[in-house]
Amino acid sequence: MTTAAGLQTVVTVPARFRGPEGTANGGWIAGTVSEALNGARHGSAVEVTLHAPTPLETPLDLRQLANTATLTRGDELLVEAIDVAEPLDAPAFVPFADAAHAERGFPGLAGHAFPGCFVCGLRAPGDGLRIFPGPVEGTDLVAAGWRVPMTVTDEDGVVPDAVIWAALDCATGWAHFAPGEFALLGRLTARVHRRVYPGGTYSVVARATGREGRKLFGESAIYEVDGTLVAAAKATWIMPA
């Protein structure tokens, strides 16, 4: 729910959009803050840094100034978004049938640290996105077939950027995780090229791109069934100490 006050907006994250229990899904909140810049739908990428977990069902302040948007709770900075001019590499296209086949190898089926996650959690169909990335045989990719629920649209019947960013998010983590492993999203940079349609079928593809100490790096993409690129992202995850 949002109520506008000039360049400041009060945002409350519904519990439905949780990641770790009690906090917002990182991709969803990153996409929500990125929308304040209105940049991702105009050909530019947006880089979002998550400074602290975003609480659920709590009034938060979303402010936009020039090329920056911030989400705060009182004086605490939670999320910061900036427009960036950089290319985003997309993992190779995986046809929907192959992406859906890869789901049977999803590590979260054997052990999931956050089974209630809006994106990759074991939620009821229509409630969560149920994106379950598994390894694609003969490649360094993980993929899932995304069947977009009719229940994720806004009041205009459009799938918002927040949901698209959420779909890009978790796959970059599962490109690294074994069953039961987890990390927290630290930064997500994404560019949305095309709309996602409710009821549509898409391939979500990701790959691990490196590791540096407790930091994990990955790239992801969403493709239409004919291989048209819908959105691309790169992510940095922080593993627990």
Side-chain angles (χ1 to χ4, degrees), residues 124-178:
D127 181 31
L129 299 186
R130 295 178 61 85
I131 296 174
F132 302 146
V136 179
E137 186 175 354
T139 76
D140 64 347
L141 305 173
V142 297
W146 183 22
R147 305 151 187 87
V148 183
M150 302 296 291
T151 56
V152 296
T153 60
D154 60 20
E155 60 272 14
D156 297 319
V158 174
V159 176
D161 277 358
V163 172
I164 299 173
W165 279 62
L168 289 165
D169 166 26
C170 292
T172 59
W174 288 109
H176 289 274
F177 302 155

Side-chain angles (χ1 to χ4, degrees), residues 4-5 14 37 39 47 52 56 95 148 152 155 169-170 175 181 187 191 199 206:
L37 297 179
E47 177 187 279
L56 304 172
V148 183
V152 296
E155 60 272 14
D169 166 26
C170 292
E181 289 186 336
R187 176 172 290 160
R191 178 183 286 115

Side-chain angles (χ1 to χ4, degrees), residues 22-111:
T23 62
N25 171 267
W28 189 90
I29 198 62
T32 296
V33 177
S34 80
E35 286 186 291
L37 297 179
N38 201 29
R41 288 202 181 279
H42 297 277
S44 64
V46 177
E47 177 187 279
V48 182
T49 302
L50 281 65
H51 293 277
T54 298
L56 304 172
E57 305 291 354
T58 303
L60 307 169
D61 294 321
L62 177 61
R63 297 181 178 90
Q64 186 270 329
L65 179 63
N67 294 323
T68 302
T70 59
L71 184 71
T72 58
R73 181 183 187 184
D75 294 330
E76 182 184 16
L77 177 62
L78 302 175
V79 183
E80 183 177 20
I82 59 172
D83 283 317
V84 292
E86 65 175 289
L88 290 175
D89 295 327
F93 170 60
V94 175
F96 179 82
D98 295 334
H101 180 78
E103 293 173 15
R104 65 183 63 191
F106 174 51
L109 297 176

